[in-house]
Amino acid sequence: MDNTIAGIPVIDSSLGNHSPIEHRGVIQSVEGNTALVMIEQVAACSSCYAREACAVAEKKSKLLEIEDVAGRFKVDDKVIVSVNGSSGYFAVITVFAVPLALVVIALTVVLTVSRSEATGAIAGLLVLLPYYAALYVFREKIKKKIVFKLSEDTNI
């Protein structure tokens, strides 16, 4: 099937419908409806389509705070932590692509206007302050977009 309209390529709408990104983990603590889960990088990361931009791949282990509304898990339970593939893309864009674009734009504009590399570098870094402040302010809304799910790890 041709993915064009009047000769113009159409973006495949299934791009955001990737299979979930999954990691095995262990419940470290449970407080109220929140579980603290330690996930570890495994060999499967090398075959994951999101490995190049995944912050989990940078470390051997990482702690995630996950809503466990059902209260089904307790400390030391083995679990699978999963996130929708499109949520993974949203996270990558939010944490890596947008800040990079902001730095490049600020650097380019300031270098063009002032011709000072030092001023451009400072502007490139300073432009991130309001961006990360906005992320902090809207963190609850962002948490609603990136939803981690826990399931029992049956392959123990």
Side-chain angles (χ1 to χ4, degrees):
M1 177 179 206
D2 188 22
N3 278 344
T4 62
I5 296 176
I8 299 171
V10 176
I11 296 174
D12 184 1
S13 62
S14 68
L15 283 176
N17 296 329
H18 288 287
S19 59
I21 300 167
E22 296 182 337
H23 287 279
R24 284 195 162 87
V26 178
I27 303 286
Q28 299 295 304
S29 68
V30 178
E31 291 183 30
N33 287 334
T34 304
L36 192 62
V37 181
M38 173 78 71
I39 60 173
E40 294 187 23
Q41 177 182 348
V42 293
C45 290
S46 64
S47 64
C48 177
Y49 66 89
R51 74 184 172 282
E52 296 299 324
C54 181
V56 174
E58 294 175 5
K59 291 185 172 183
K60 294 291 181 193
S61 61
K62 185 166 183 87
L63 283 173
L64 295 176
E65 209 173 275
I66 302 172
E67 289 286 323
D68 177 30
V69 180
R72 301 174 294 157
F73 302 102
K74 60 186 184 314
V75 174
D76 292 329
D77 281 354
K78 307 275 191 259
V79 294
I80 301 287
V81 178
S82 62
V83 66
N84 177 318
S86 61
S87 292
Y89 280 125
F90 173 76
V92 167
I93 289 167
T94 304
V95 175
F96 296 110
V98 172
L100 177 63
L102 288 173
V103 168
V104 169
I105 290 167
L107 183 61
T108 303
V109 168
V110 173
L111 276 175
T112 302
V113 172
S114 73
R115 304 269 188 231
S116 168
E117 289 180 6
T119 306
I122 291 169
L125 293 175
L126 288 178
V127 75
L128 294 176
L129 292 176
Y131 178 72
Y132 284 115
L135 286 181
Y136 182 79
V137 168
F138 295 110
R139 69 187 178 277
E140 293 304 319
K141 285 187 177 187
I142 293 169
K143 278 184 185 178
K144 291 177 184 174
K145 283 189 169 245
I146 303 173
V147 179
F148 291 98
K149 294 181 182 164
L150 287 178
S151 59
E152 185 178 347
D153 187 354
T154 56
N155 297 327
I156 300 173

